mmCIF file of all heavy atoms in Angstrom:
data_model
loop_
_atom_site.group_PDB
_atom_site.id
_atom_site.type_symbol
_atom_site.label_atom_id
_atom_site.label_comp_id
_atom_site.label_asym_id
_atom_site.label_seq_id
_atom_site.Cartn_x
_atom_site.Cartn_y
_atom_site.Cartn_z
ATOM 1 N N ASP A 3 36.961 14.055 6.578
ATOM 2 C CA ASP A 3 36.286 13.043 5.820
ATOM 3 C C ASP A 3 34.885 13.381 5.440
ATOM 4 O O ASP A 3 34.400 13.133 4.320
ATOM 5 C CB ASP A 3 36.303 11.675 6.557
ATOM 6 C CG ASP A 3 37.767 11.147 6.709
ATOM 7 O OD1 ASP A 3 38.542 11.509 5.807
ATOM 8 O OD2 ASP A 3 37.933 10.325 7.620
ATOM 9 N N SER A 10 32.365 15.683 -2.580
ATOM 10 C CA SER A 10 32.237 14.715 -3.658
ATOM 11 C C SER A 10 30.821 14.523 -4.064
ATOM 12 O O SER A 10 30.498 14.365 -5.200
ATOM 13 C CB SER A 10 32.742 13.348 -3.116
ATOM 14 O OG SER A 10 32.656 12.287 -4.068
ATOM 15 N N PHE A 24 14.745 23.032 -7.454
ATOM 16 C CA PHE A 24 14.001 23.846 -8.388
ATOM 17 C C PHE A 24 12.516 23.306 -8.399
ATOM 18 O O PHE A 24 11.522 24.109 -8.317
ATOM 19 C CB PHE A 24 14.553 23.764 -9.780
ATOM 20 C CG PHE A 24 13.665 24.545 -10.830
ATOM 21 C CD1 PHE A 24 13.628 25.845 -10.810
ATOM 22 C CD2 PHE A 24 13.083 23.799 -11.828
ATOM 23 C CE1 PHE A 24 12.853 26.473 -11.694
ATOM 24 C CE2 PHE A 24 12.256 24.442 -12.755
ATOM 25 C CZ PHE A 24 12.153 25.841 -12.749
ATOM 26 N N PHE A 26 11.103 21.465 -6.027
ATOM 27 C CA PHE A 26 10.494 21.670 -4.724
ATOM 28 C C PHE A 26 9.979 23.144 -4.558
ATOM 29 O O PHE A 26 9.022 23.258 -3.882
ATOM 30 C CB PHE A 26 11.608 21.392 -3.638
ATOM 31 C CG PHE A 26 11.856 19.910 -3.509
ATOM 32 C CD1 PHE A 26 12.918 19.401 -2.691
ATOM 33 C CD2 PHE A 26 11.126 18.956 -4.252
ATOM 34 C CE1 PHE A 26 13.216 18.104 -2.554
ATOM 35 C CE2 PHE A 26 11.400 17.541 -4.054
ATOM 36 C CZ PHE A 26 12.386 17.151 -3.254
ATOM 37 N N LEU A 47 4.019 14.151 -9.653
ATOM 38 C CA LEU A 47 4.216 12.913 -10.335
ATOM 39 C C LEU A 47 4.568 13.143 -11.741
ATOM 40 O O LEU A 47 5.535 12.544 -12.372
ATOM 41 C CB LEU A 47 2.927 12.060 -10.325
ATOM 42 C CG LEU A 47 2.985 10.614 -10.818
ATOM 43 C CD1 LEU A 47 1.889 9.811 -9.992
ATOM 44 C CD2 LEU A 47 2.665 10.536 -12.266
ATOM 45 N N LEU A 49 6.094 15.914 -13.096
ATOM 46 C CA LEU A 49 7.446 16.418 -13.163
ATOM 47 C C LEU A 49 8.474 15.337 -12.913
ATOM 48 O O LEU A 49 9.495 15.392 -13.457
ATOM 49 C CB LEU A 49 7.599 17.537 -12.056
ATOM 50 C CG LEU A 49 6.859 18.851 -12.259
ATOM 51 C CD1 LEU A 49 6.906 19.733 -11.103
ATOM 52 C CD2 LEU A 49 7.297 19.530 -13.548
ATOM 53 N N ARG A 79 7.495 5.470 7.162
ATOM 54 C CA ARG A 79 7.776 4.164 7.832
ATOM 55 C C ARG A 79 7.949 4.440 9.299
ATOM 56 O O ARG A 79 7.620 3.449 10.129
ATOM 57 C CB ARG A 79 8.817 3.443 7.165
ATOM 58 C CG ARG A 79 8.445 2.796 5.891
ATOM 59 C CD ARG A 79 9.716 2.157 5.273
ATOM 60 N NE ARG A 79 9.272 1.481 4.046
ATOM 61 C CZ ARG A 79 10.116 0.996 3.062
ATOM 62 N NH1 ARG A 79 11.497 1.094 3.294
ATOM 63 N NH2 ARG A 79 9.717 0.336 2.013
ATOM 64 N N TRP A 113 -14.348 -9.660 3.413
ATOM 65 C CA TRP A 113 -14.158 -8.839 2.277
ATOM 66 C C TRP A 113 -12.729 -8.919 1.764
ATOM 67 O O TRP A 113 -12.456 -8.948 0.530
ATOM 68 C CB TRP A 113 -14.486 -7.346 2.606
ATOM 69 C CG TRP A 113 -15.898 -7.094 2.766
ATOM 70 C CD1 TRP A 113 -16.580 -6.599 3.864
ATOM 71 C CD2 TRP A 113 -16.873 -7.122 1.698
ATOM 72 N NE1 TRP A 113 -17.892 -6.383 3.559
ATOM 73 C CE2 TRP A 113 -18.087 -6.729 2.177
ATOM 74 C CE3 TRP A 113 -16.791 -7.527 0.366
ATOM 75 C CZ2 TRP A 113 -19.264 -6.676 1.431
ATOM 76 C CZ3 TRP A 113 -17.949 -7.488 -0.425
ATOM 77 C CH2 TRP A 113 -19.139 -7.126 0.177
ATOM 78 N N SER A 122 -7.979 -12.672 -8.319
ATOM 79 C CA SER A 122 -7.301 -13.804 -8.958
ATOM 80 C C SER A 122 -7.941 -14.349 -10.212
ATOM 81 O O SER A 122 -7.376 -14.591 -11.269
ATOM 82 C CB SER A 122 -7.163 -14.993 -7.904
ATOM 83 O OG SER A 122 -6.487 -16.040 -8.565
ATOM 84 N N LEU A 127 -8.362 -14.597 -16.178
ATOM 85 C CA LEU A 127 -9.082 -14.399 -17.423
ATOM 86 C C LEU A 127 -8.430 -13.432 -18.384
ATOM 87 O O LEU A 127 -8.281 -13.706 -19.577
ATOM 88 C CB LEU A 127 -10.531 -13.859 -17.093
ATOM 89 C CG LEU A 127 -11.461 -14.831 -16.371
ATOM 90 C CD1 LEU A 127 -12.776 -14.194 -16.051
ATOM 91 C CD2 LEU A 127 -11.606 -16.153 -17.090
ATOM 92 N N PRO A 152 8.231 -20.124 3.236
ATOM 93 C CA PRO A 152 8.212 -20.456 4.666
ATOM 94 C C PRO A 152 7.222 -21.583 4.954
ATOM 95 O O PRO A 152 6.129 -21.614 4.327
ATOM 96 C CB PRO A 152 7.841 -19.131 5.373
ATOM 97 C CG PRO A 152 7.128 -18.367 4.196
ATOM 98 C CD PRO A 152 7.696 -18.780 2.987
ATOM 99 N N GLU A 169 10.520 -7.031 18.168
ATOM 100 C CA GLU A 169 9.771 -7.135 16.873
ATOM 101 C C GLU A 169 9.476 -5.792 16.346
ATOM 102 O O GLU A 169 9.453 -5.591 15.114
ATOM 103 C CB GLU A 169 8.527 -7.972 17.101
ATOM 104 C CG GLU A 169 8.837 -9.527 17.116
ATOM 105 C CD GLU A 169 7.901 -10.270 18.041
ATOM 106 O OE1 GLU A 169 7.106 -9.697 18.766
ATOM 107 O OE2 GLU A 169 8.068 -11.537 18.012
ATOM 108 N N LYS A 174 8.345 -5.498 12.329
ATOM 109 C CA LYS A 174 7.339 -6.562 12.107
ATOM 110 C C LYS A 174 5.976 -6.084 12.638
ATOM 111 O O LYS A 174 5.774 -5.907 13.847
ATOM 112 C CB LYS A 174 7.780 -7.833 12.907
ATOM 113 C CG LYS A 174 9.077 -8.488 12.353
ATOM 114 C CD LYS A 174 9.357 -9.845 13.078
ATOM 115 C CE LYS A 174 10.522 -10.541 12.553
ATOM 116 N NZ LYS A 174 10.840 -11.791 13.180
ATOM 117 N N PHE A 181 -0.264 -8.127 19.577
ATOM 118 C CA PHE A 181 0.084 -7.789 20.952
ATOM 119 C C PHE A 181 -0.939 -6.544 21.362
ATOM 120 O O PHE A 181 -1.514 -6.644 22.435
ATOM 121 C CB PHE A 181 1.500 -7.212 20.990
ATOM 122 C CG PHE A 181 1.864 -6.715 22.415
ATOM 123 C CD1 PHE A 181 1.722 -7.496 23.559
ATOM 124 C CD2 PHE A 181 2.294 -5.403 22.566
ATOM 125 C CE1 PHE A 181 2.072 -7.042 24.825
ATOM 126 C CE2 PHE A 181 2.670 -4.883 23.815
ATOM 127 C CZ PHE A 181 2.570 -5.687 24.905
ATOM 128 N N GLN A 212 -4.193 11.378 19.422
ATOM 129 C CA GLN A 212 -4.232 12.782 18.892
ATOM 130 C C GLN A 212 -2.840 13.276 18.532
ATOM 131 O O GLN A 212 -2.672 13.967 17.483
ATOM 132 C CB GLN A 212 -4.937 13.664 19.932
ATOM 133 C CG GLN A 212 -6.327 13.343 20.169
ATOM 134 C CD GLN A 212 -6.876 14.310 21.216
ATOM 135 O OE1 GLN A 212 -6.453 15.440 21.434
ATOM 136 N NE2 GLN A 212 -8.071 13.948 21.865
ATOM 137 N N LYS A 219 0.060 14.519 10.120
ATOM 138 C CA LYS A 219 -0.161 15.701 9.257
ATOM 139 C C LYS A 219 1.115 16.326 8.740
ATOM 140 O O LYS A 219 1.208 16.804 7.630
ATOM 141 C CB LYS A 219 -0.943 16.741 10.098
ATOM 142 C CG LYS A 219 -2.435 16.304 10.349
ATOM 143 C CD LYS A 219 -3.137 17.278 11.231
ATOM 144 C CE LYS A 219 -4.552 16.887 11.588
ATOM 145 N NZ LYS A 219 -5.235 17.901 12.383
ATOM 146 N N GLY A 241 13.205 3.475 -17.691
ATOM 147 C CA GLY A 241 13.058 4.068 -19.006
ATOM 148 C C GLY A 241 11.980 3.301 -19.889
ATOM 149 O O GLY A 241 11.150 2.629 -19.319
ATOM 150 N N VAL A 253 1.160 -4.667 -19.784
ATOM 151 C CA VAL A 253 -0.185 -4.298 -20.297
ATOM 152 C C VAL A 253 -1.185 -5.197 -19.723
ATOM 153 O O VAL A 253 -2.260 -4.755 -19.192
ATOM 154 C CB VAL A 253 -0.264 -4.420 -21.833
ATOM 155 C CG1 VAL A 253 -1.751 -4.314 -22.309
ATOM 156 C CG2 VAL A 253 0.714 -3.277 -22.478
ATOM 157 N N GLY A 269 -18.001 -1.282 -8.231
ATOM 158 C CA GLY A 269 -19.291 -1.937 -7.982
ATOM 159 C C GLY A 269 -19.654 -2.081 -6.573
ATOM 160 O O GLY A 269 -20.899 -1.944 -6.147
ATOM 161 N N ARG A 297 5.226 2.130 -3.233
ATOM 162 C CA ARG A 297 5.141 0.666 -3.520
ATOM 163 C C ARG A 297 5.127 -0.043 -2.079
ATOM 164 O O ARG A 297 5.654 -1.154 -1.948
ATOM 165 C CB ARG A 297 6.321 0.208 -4.288
ATOM 166 C CG ARG A 297 6.287 0.711 -5.680
ATOM 167 C CD ARG A 297 7.591 0.396 -6.386
ATOM 168 N NE ARG A 297 7.998 -0.960 -6.191
ATOM 169 C CZ ARG A 297 9.279 -1.377 -6.244
ATOM 170 N NH1 ARG A 297 10.226 -0.499 -6.428
ATOM 171 N NH2 ARG A 297 9.559 -2.645 -6.077
ATOM 172 N N VAL A 305 -1.305 7.772 5.627
ATOM 173 C CA VAL A 305 -2.125 8.453 4.654
ATOM 174 C C VAL A 305 -3.499 7.927 4.543
ATOM 175 O O VAL A 305 -4.525 8.635 4.612
ATOM 176 C CB VAL A 305 -1.445 8.631 3.264
ATOM 177 C CG1 VAL A 305 -2.288 9.409 2.285
ATOM 178 C CG2 VAL A 305 -0.111 9.295 3.373
ATOM 179 N N ILE A 373 -3.347 -15.201 2.991
ATOM 180 C CA ILE A 373 -3.321 -15.276 4.454
ATOM 181 C C ILE A 373 -1.952 -15.696 4.907
ATOM 182 O O ILE A 373 -1.397 -15.106 5.876
ATOM 183 C CB ILE A 373 -4.403 -16.263 5.001
ATOM 184 C CG1 ILE A 373 -5.768 -16.030 4.372
ATOM 185 C CG2 ILE A 373 -4.439 -16.315 6.450
ATOM 186 C CD1 ILE A 373 -6.773 -17.094 4.682
ATOM 187 N N THR A 415 0.351 -2.340 -5.579
ATOM 188 C CA THR A 415 0.233 -1.749 -4.234
ATOM 189 C C THR A 415 -0.914 -0.662 -4.175
ATOM 190 O O THR A 415 -1.677 -0.628 -3.227
ATOM 191 C CB THR A 415 1.553 -0.972 -3.880
ATOM 192 O OG1 THR A 415 2.626 -1.905 -4.056
ATOM 193 C CG2 THR A 415 1.488 -0.522 -2.403
ATOM 194 N N GLU A 433 -22.300 -1.173 9.611
ATOM 195 C CA GLU A 433 -22.393 -0.988 11.077
ATOM 196 C C GLU A 433 -22.879 0.394 11.465
ATOM 197 O O GLU A 433 -22.984 0.682 12.621
ATOM 198 C CB GLU A 433 -21.007 -1.196 11.732
ATOM 199 C CG GLU A 433 -20.450 -2.585 11.628
ATOM 200 C CD GLU A 433 -21.310 -3.563 12.345
ATOM 201 O OE1 GLU A 433 -21.885 -3.247 13.393
ATOM 202 O OE2 GLU A 433 -21.446 -4.706 11.784
#
Side-chain angles (χ1 to χ4, degrees):
D3 291 338
S10 176
F24 178 68
F26 288 172
L47 190 149
L49 291 173
R79 285 178 174 168
W113 284 119
S122 181
L127 294 177
E169 282 145 355
K174 294 183 178 181
F181 177 58
Q212 293 181 25
K219 291 179 183 180
V253 171
R297 297 168 47 207
V305 178
I373 306 172
T415 308
E433 293 297 324

